[in-house]
């Protein structure tokens, strides 16, 4: 994939759905650092969906865009890192936000990136902070969420439970 020769590896068995006409899709990425902690960023207070909540990197798939291209674009836009490898599909979720956009399908992946993991470049208009979450930090991911709204917590917990060999 890519315009400049940058290649993304997709591990065997990783499913990447192709959106059907009229379907609204989003993608999400759990990124682990060398210590096995997962990256999350805090959504700003003025966000329409999920304000002041922890979130993984990701966003909407544009019309005509593949999920893999959207994943690469969102990673670069939100962190200035580059998608290098898609390790595992963490899950596909269907949800409806309170923004009137209807049903969304969300594919979330465990990925590896290239870039300075100690210095992400956040989209400051959308995110106010970032942190790296290990197993002991997981309860913080439930901040400003109600039971049944723990998708981010559950995705990161799943990635931390069975981390890939990063060698």
């Amino acid at each position: 994939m890519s315009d400049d020769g940058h290649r993304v590896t997709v591990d065997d068995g990783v499913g990447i759905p192709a959106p059907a006409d009229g379907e609204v899709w989003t993608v999400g990425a759990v990124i682990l650092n060398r210590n096995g902690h997962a990256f999350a960023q805090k959504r700003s207070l003025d966000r329409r969906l999920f304000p002041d909540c922890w979130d993984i990197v990701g966003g909407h798939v544009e019309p005509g865009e593949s999920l893999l291209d959207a994943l690469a674009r969102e990673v670069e836009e939100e962190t200035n890192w580059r998608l290098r490898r898609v390790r595992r599909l963490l899950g596909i979720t269907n949800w409806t936000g309170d923004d009137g956009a209807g049903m969304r399908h969300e594919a979330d992946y465990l990925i590896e990136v290239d870039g300075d993991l100690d210095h992400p470049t956040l989209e400051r208009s959308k995110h106010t902070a970032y942190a790296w979450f290990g197993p002991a930090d997981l309860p913080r991911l439930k901040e400003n969420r109600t039971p049944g709204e723990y998708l981010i917590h559950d995705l990161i917990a799943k990635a931390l439970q069975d981390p890939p060999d990063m060698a």
Side-chain angles (χ1 to χ4, degrees):
M1 93 151 252
S2 91
D3 355 294
D4 63 358
H6 178 76
R7 308 248 346 126
V8 174
T9 302
V10 179
D11 285 8
D12 291 341
V14 175
I16 301 181
D21 287 342
E23 287 183 335
V24 177
W25 279 82
T26 61
V27 291
V30 175
I31 300 162
L32 302 179
N33 67 11
R34 63 190 158 278
N35 299 321
H37 291 177
F39 179 83
Q41 49 195 354
K42 190 83 168 214
R43 294 173 66 90
S44 63
L45 281 167
D46 60 354
R47 298 292 298 271
R48 172 90 172 114
L49 287 173
F50 317 118
D52 201 32
C53 295
W54 289 103
D55 199 1
I56 58 176
V57 173
H60 292 88
V61 177
E62 302 295 335
E65 187 176 41
S66 73
L67 270 64
L68 188 59
D69 286 342
L71 193 62
R73 177 181 50 77
E74 290 289 348
V75 167
E76 191 158 352
E77 285 176 2
E78 293 187 11
T79 63
N80 205 31
W81 300 328
R82 293 188 71 179
L83 177 62
R84 176 181 63 224
R85 185 174 181 183
V86 181
R87 298 296 305 249
R88 186 167 71 229
L89 174 65
L90 295 171
I92 295 178
T93 308
N94 299 316
W95 57 276
T96 302
D98 63 359
D99 61 353
M103 173 68 72
R104 291 174 178 85
H105 309 279
E106 179 170 336
D108 295 299
Y109 296 91
L110 177 62
I111 68 167
E112 293 177 11
V113 297
D114 289 323
D116 184 353
L117 296 183
D118 293 328
H119 299 97
T121 304
L122 299 183
E123 279 185 290
R124 288 293 177 186
S125 63
K126 296 180 179 180
H127 301 100
T128 59
Y130 74 90
W132 291 94
F133 290 80
D137 306 308
L138 290 175
R140 288 181 51 213
L141 294 168
K142 295 180 179 179
E143 290 174 358
N144 302 318
R145 306 305 308 147
T146 58
E149 296 180 334
Y150 295 155
L151 176 63
I152 301 306
H153 169 277
D154 296 348
L155 288 168
I156 288 178
K158 185 175 184 178
L160 294 178
Q161 242 174 14
D162 187 20
D165 177 13
M166 302 301 267

